[in-house]
Amino acid sequence: MSKLLFKPMDPWDHQSVPPLSKHLREQLNGTRKYHGNCAYEAVPVSEALRIIDSGPDVNTAYHFWTVVERLSKKLQGQQPAPMCGHHVIDFYIKLLHDHFALDRASFYEDRYNGLQQTEDKTPSQLLADMRQCEPHLHAMPPDKFAMDFVHKLHHKIVPNVKNRWDIIAVTDWYGRISDIAKDADIAWDNYRREQHRRHHARQHWRRAQQLLR
């Protein structure tokens, strides 16, 4: 049986956890052929430990003995069902998620605070970026999230969007945020069209001035 190797993870931080989680499960699934093509749920614990042991450095907190130790403590005094490899893999992934919880929250909070609609981004794209951060924001009230979206829009369309939605209570904005984004997309498209029209008008005027000289 060939040694299972992990893909390089540098830097080793919260962003490494999702691809590592996928990789772990793929590796575990790949060992089914060594056990009579058994179901994924039936792969033995020994395979999971071998996979984890071939990963991050043994001197880090992510080495397999940490999983075994903590999993054993978790199960003390319980009468668990027979454990299989996927239980160990899932628990290991949970440990990693828990370990990087603060780093992950800080990363998404900083990203959220820095989000703003730029010239190359539509309002809907801005909302999608904000949605990615939302699950990691600590106690973010829905009303504030909705107001933040409007305030983060390009300053040229904020008045237009606010004029349309100020007639509705802010407490209802979050439930209508997709509609607000659609209206903002229209306002943004109109603004860009007007900018394009003015640009061509200026070019036409300059050419006309040159011909008159």
Side-chain angles (χ1 to χ4, degrees):
M1 193 180 303
S2 59
K3 180 177 175 59
L4 300 172
L5 297 177
F6 280 71
K7 299 172 184 177
M9 293 178 293
D10 186 22
W12 176 237
D13 57 20
H14 73 93
Q15 296 184 79
S16 303
V17 176
L20 172 60
S21 302
K22 179 182 178 182
H23 185 65
L24 285 168
R25 290 179 173 125
E26 288 175 349
Q27 292 280 21
L28 188 67
N29 188 58
T31 65
R32 292 169 51 229
K33 60 187 177 185
Y34 303 119
H35 302 277
N37 287 321
C38 66
Y40 174 81
E41 293 76 11
V43 176
V45 169
S46 59
E47 290 289 4
L49 296 179
R50 185 175 65 84
I51 290 169
I52 295 173
D53 192 27
S54 70
D57 191 281
V58 296
N59 295 317
T60 70
Y62 318 111
H63 188 50
F64 83 94
W65 65 263
T66 305
V67 181
V68 177
E69 180 183 36
R70 293 181 67 170
L71 193 54
S72 297
K73 290 180 179 178
K74 176 181 173 65
L75 297 176
Q76 280 179 0
Q78 300 181 28
Q79 294 296 325
M83 194 184 307
C84 295
H86 71 96
H87 294 116
V88 176
I89 294 294
D90 290 346
F91 187 72
Y92 180 63
I93 292 169
K94 182 182 182 304
L95 288 182
L96 292 177
H97 275 290
D98 291 347
H99 177 82
F100 288 115
L102 291 178
D103 290 342
R104 186 167 54 249
S106 178
F107 172 84
Y108 281 105
E109 184 175 348
D110 289 344
R111 185 182 178 211
Y112 179 84
N113 291 335
L115 285 175
Q116 202 75 31
Q117 186 194 350
T118 54
E119 292 286 344
D120 60 346
K121 182 182 295 184
T122 67
S124 287
Q125 289 170 331
L126 169 66
L127 179 59
D129 289 343
M130 292 174 64
R131 287 290 201 192
Q132 286 185 340
C133 300
E134 188 179 13
H136 309 284
L137 302 176
H138 179 65
M140 168 64 72
D143 297 354
K144 184 178 186 312
F145 184 89
M147 287 189 292
D148 283 350
F149 170 64
V150 173
H151 293 151
K152 288 175 179 290
L153 292 171
H154 194 282
H155 68 279
K156 289 293 186 179
I157 66 170
V158 170
N160 183 302
V161 175
K162 289 190 71 175
N163 286 342
R164 179 173 175 81
W165 287 91
D166 272 348
I167 60 174
I168 297 175
V170 172
T171 51
D172 294 332
W173 281 14
Y174 186 83
R176 303 286 303 279
I177 198 165
S178 294
D179 294 329
I180 297 176
K182 289 177 183 177
D183 281 349
D185 282 340
I186 294 172
W188 179 243
D189 187 55
N190 290 339
Y191 168 73
R192 295 299 297 270
R193 287 176 184 273
E194 179 62 16
Q195 290 297 101
H196 187 69
R197 186 193 67 77
R198 290 184 180 183
H199 173 72
H200 280 282
R202 285 194 297 268
Q203 285 187 325
H204 180 74
W205 182 83
R206 287 171 185 154
R207 284 196 295 268
Q209 290 297 310
Q210 290 172 351
L211 290 174
L212 292 174
R213 290 176 184 173

